[in-house]
Amino acid sequence: MDNKINWKQHLSKKRKQIDLKSKELNWLIGRKSKLSIENKLLIYKAIIKPIWTYGIELWGCASKSNLSIIQRAQSKILRSIADAPWYVSNETHNRDLKIPFISEVIMERSCKHHARLSDHPNPLLPSLLDPTETRRLKRKLPLDLQD
């Protein structure tokens, strides 16, 4: 994490890890692979997706420009998996392959995390979840990203 707490360095490192892993697996999930799309997606979900989803509850409140670093990597991999031409939109890829966008994953994970914290036996946690508490930074929380 950098001194401005904007997660840019962390997300750039994650992008490099994703790129390295996708290059290693290109012979399996690349355009010229003979595997079915279902098997390619299974490899993506089992090996590449955990790289960027680890700790998403924490860095999910990063700015849209920083989150787009990971979104671009995902879109590039999905385009390669489906062997899609350049003119097919990323929204079409995600819908057809049934892969959610990064922002949707952040919402899902942060809602689950919030629910677990509210049910936790530690008596100090409910005060952390109080939405009326004033924030020092104007940055949004992952649960605020619904729009």
Side-chain angles (χ1 to χ4, degrees):
M1 200 163 61
D2 59 351
N3 58 358
K4 293 183 181 179
I5 313 174
N6 64 9
W7 298 99
K8 185 174 176 86
Q9 288 178 350
H10 175 75
L11 295 176
S12 296
K13 286 180 185 178
K14 287 292 177 187
R15 171 67 191 253
K16 288 179 184 176
Q17 289 175 349
I18 292 168
D19 288 344
L20 285 173
K21 191 55 77 173
S22 64
K23 285 178 186 176
E24 287 176 9
L25 297 172
N26 190 39
W27 66 280
L28 282 175
I29 63 173
R31 294 181 184 270
K32 296 180 181 180
S33 173
K34 302 294 182 195
L35 283 178
S36 67
I37 291 180
E38 292 81 19
N39 288 334
K40 290 179 182 182
L41 285 175
L42 186 63
I43 291 170
Y44 168 75
K45 290 176 185 176
I47 298 174
I48 297 174
K49 188 176 179 182
I51 293 172
W52 62 264
T53 56
Y54 180 76
I56 201 167
E57 295 86 359
L58 299 174
W59 58 262
C61 59
S63 68
K64 288 181 182 179
S65 61
N66 289 334
L67 292 177
S68 69
I69 294 170
I70 304 296
Q71 182 62 56
R72 285 192 305 265
Q74 181 190 32
S75 298
K76 181 179 172 183
I77 293 169
L78 293 181
R79 189 173 296 276
S80 175
I81 285 174
D83 192 17
W86 62 270
Y87 52 83
V88 178
S89 70
N90 292 332
E91 185 177 330
T92 305
H93 286 170
N94 287 53
R95 185 184 63 239
D96 291 347
L97 298 176
K98 297 182 178 90
I99 301 289
F101 282 102
I102 304 297
S103 59
E104 295 169 5
V105 175
I106 290 170
M107 278 302 303
E108 175 189 341
R109 293 282 186 104
S110 61
C111 287
K112 284 182 182 178
H113 183 68
H114 192 272
R116 276 186 297 207
L117 289 180
S118 62
D119 295 338
H120 200 275
N122 187 343
L124 299 176
L125 288 179
S127 64
L128 293 175
L129 301 175
D130 184 20
T132 60
E133 181 180 326
T134 58
R135 297 185 221 169
R136 186 176 59 87
L137 299 174
K138 294 180 182 177
R139 192 167 298 148
K140 293 184 174 185
L141 294 174
L143 289 174
D144 298 337
L145 298 174
Q146 294 177 4
D147 50 334

